[in-house]
Amino acid sequence: MIIPIQIRAARALLSIGQQELATLAGVGLGTVKRIEAAGEELVGTAQTLGRIQRALELEGIEFIDQDQSKGPGVRLRKPLENVPRVRIE
C-alpha cells in the first residue's frame, strides 16, 4: 500500500495538483488533501488509496517499496526524452 509522501512525490513528478489527482482518481479534493496531510501515517480506506494509486500508475508513476536499507519512493515508468546531460569538470 502506498503512503502519503509517495502520493505527494508522484504528483510532483507529474506536475499535477491535488484537484487533478482527485479528478483522475474519482475521489473528492478534501480526501486527497486529508490523505496527503497525514505524513507517514496511513489514513483513508484501502479502496480510496487503491484508486489514487491506480490513477497515478496510469499517468506513468511506478511506486517503489521500502526495503531494509532504503525507504519507499516513486519514479516515472518511462525514461524522460531529451534530458540535458550535465557535465561536471
Side-chain angles (χ1 to χ4, degrees):
M1 187 66 57
I2 60 173
I3 59 175
I5 57 176
Q6 287 176 296
I7 296 170
R8 289 193 309 272
R11 280 195 314 98
L13 279 173
L14 296 172
S15 298
I16 63 172
Q18 290 177 323
Q19 179 61 61
E20 188 171 352
L21 174 57
T23 300
L24 290 169
V27 300
L29 174 59
T31 299
V32 172
K33 287 182 177 187
R34 187 179 71 255
I35 290 170
E36 287 191 359
E40 295 180 19
E41 182 181 340
L42 197 57
V43 298
T45 66
Q47 181 181 13
T48 299
L49 291 169
R51 290 176 76 135
I52 291 171
Q53 181 173 349
R54 281 189 300 281
L56 291 168
E57 288 171 341
L58 287 172
E59 292 298 310
I61 291 296
E62 182 177 314
F63 291 93
I64 303 165
D65 292 331
Q66 177 171 298
D67 61 25
Q68 284 91 4
S69 62
K70 296 179 182 167
V74 296
R75 67 177 168 201
L76 295 172
R77 191 176 315 122
K78 295 180 182 177
L80 295 176
E81 296 179 16
N82 302 320
V83 175
R85 303 257 185 228
V86 177
R87 186 173 168 185
I88 301 174
E89 295 182 26

